[in-house]
Amino acid sequence: MPAELPHKKPGFLSVSAAVDTAKSLLLLSGLVWLLVLGSQRLGYNWQWYRIPQYLFKFDDGVFTWGLLMQGLGVTFRITAISLVLMLVIGLTTALLRMTGSWAARGTARAYMELIRNTPLLIQIFFIYFVVAPILGLTGFQSAVISLSLFEGAYASEIFRAGITSIDRGQFEAAKSLGMGPYAMYRHIILPQAVRRVLPPLTSQAVSLVKDSALVSTIAILDLTQQGRIIDAETFLTFEVWFTVAAIYLAVTLALSGVVRLLERRFNGVWTNQRSIP
């Protein structure tokens, strides 16, 4: 007969939650106190009332986005395109590394080593100042290519780890059914691998959002660059950069939440498929 779980006292969870909440509030209060104390010593004059106009405003009753939200729109466009290209480049590189062709494996390996062992900022400068004039690329295109290549190198390792984690019996069963490589990966391997690589790919997507701030160095009017412009014009240094940081935090938390929902959906679909007799 299985051993019974120890009985928890009534109200145990509520007391624990209350203690955790109190600790969190105490920590938050300490951070606020340090911030206020530091600003007093610096003699800084907070002017938060001037920040909303850079988020949104009404001109003659017409709603318009402020500069920060316009920059966020540019960040979204760069991130969305780079995310798609990152997945394509990462999956392609992972598959090339697993082929029997030494040329394909060598090319994929050289790309990974080159990208992963050089700073992203240097890659952005190289593509914008060297490659872009030769190929006639715009600053926006240079930013997308730089981010896609950089994040794709890390995504390829995630994809490769997910594919190699699939049991070898799955590969052998697909081959015994006469499946070619394309059909095998599409119908057997990748559907299983996607469930395993989704959490680390989420972290890579969050890194992509944060790394996109570096494209401001090549005059892209993204969120970070708009923050620099506003800071230079108004000297609202703390207010502007706290607001920019809060926007980035909100975006990354929302992205993590969406991926958690997708994980639950995939797990539910996979469970239902396995329960079918």
Side-chain angles (χ1 to χ4, degrees):
M1 188 173 181
E4 296 184 358
L5 296 175
H7 180 70
K8 294 182 179 180
K9 296 181 180 180
F12 175 79
L13 293 179
S14 59
V15 172
S16 176
V19 172
D20 290 341
T21 302
K23 292 179 179 178
S24 300
L25 292 176
L26 183 62
L27 177 61
L28 181 61
S29 301
L31 293 175
V32 172
W33 177 77
L34 288 175
L35 182 63
V36 172
L37 179 63
S39 62
Q40 289 177 349
R41 291 184 176 181
L42 290 174
Y44 189 79
N45 181 27
W46 294 93
Q47 303 180 57
W48 283 106
Y49 66 91
R50 299 176 59 184
I51 293 298
Q53 63 180 315
Y54 300 111
L55 300 175
F56 59 87
K57 54 186 175 180
F58 291 90
D59 292 329
D60 298 328
V62 179
F63 176 85
T64 56
W65 291 112
L67 292 178
L68 289 179
M69 300 308 293
Q70 293 176 18
L72 180 61
V74 175
T75 298
F76 278 154
R77 290 198 295 273
I78 293 176
T79 303
I81 299 174
S82 300
L83 179 61
V84 174
L85 293 178
M86 177 195 79
L87 297 177
V88 173
I89 294 173
L91 180 58
T92 303
T93 305
L95 294 177
L96 288 177
R97 291 194 61 193
M98 301 177 65
T99 61
S101 171
W102 66 267
R105 294 198 308 270
T107 302
R109 186 70 183 182
Y111 154 71
M112 285 186 50
E113 294 297 333
L114 177 64
I115 296 298
R116 294 175 61 183
N117 291 290
T118 55
L120 174 57
L121 185 61
I122 302 301
Q123 297 174 26
I124 293 175
F125 286 161
F126 178 79
I127 292 179
Y128 181 69
F129 291 109
V130 179
V131 179
I134 298 174
L135 301 180
L137 301 177
T138 63
F140 184 89
Q141 294 170 337
S142 301
V144 169
I145 293 174
S146 303
L147 290 173
S148 302
L149 291 175
F150 183 80
E151 304 295 341
Y154 291 91
S156 67
E157 281 294 281
I158 297 174
F159 277 116
R160 192 176 71 88
I163 293 173
T164 55
S165 68
I166 304 299
D167 188 82
R168 297 302 304 175
Q170 300 287 330
F171 292 87
E172 295 172 0
K175 292 178 181 179
S176 66
L177 294 174
M179 285 187 174
Y182 175 77
M184 178 181 64
Y185 277 103
R186 179 183 178 185
H187 298 290
I188 305 297
I189 305 303
L190 289 182
Q192 299 179 64
V194 165
R195 295 177 58 253
R196 302 185 181 187
V197 303
L198 195 57
L201 281 180
T202 303
S203 300
Q204 202 60 42
V206 171
S207 297
L208 172 61
V209 174
K210 295 184 293 185
D211 291 340
S212 66
L214 289 177
V215 304
S216 62
T217 57
I218 56 175
I220 301 296
L221 293 177
D222 68 326
L223 177 58
T224 302
Q225 180 67 5
Q226 293 286 16
R228 288 180 176 178
I229 294 174
I230 296 172
D231 182 20
E233 292 178 350
T234 63
F235 300 102
L236 300 175
T237 303
F238 291 111
E239 293 90 338
V240 168
W241 292 116
F242 282 153
T243 303
V244 169
I247 293 174
Y248 275 115
L249 178 62
V251 171
T252 54
L253 289 178
L255 179 60
S256 300
V258 170
V259 174
R260 278 196 295 269
L261 292 177
L262 291 176
E263 283 186 79
R264 292 177 183 175
R265 181 177 179 181
F266 285 152
N267 290 334
V269 171
W270 181 253
T271 302
N272 293 334
Q273 288 179 347
R274 296 188 64 180
S275 63
I276 296 175

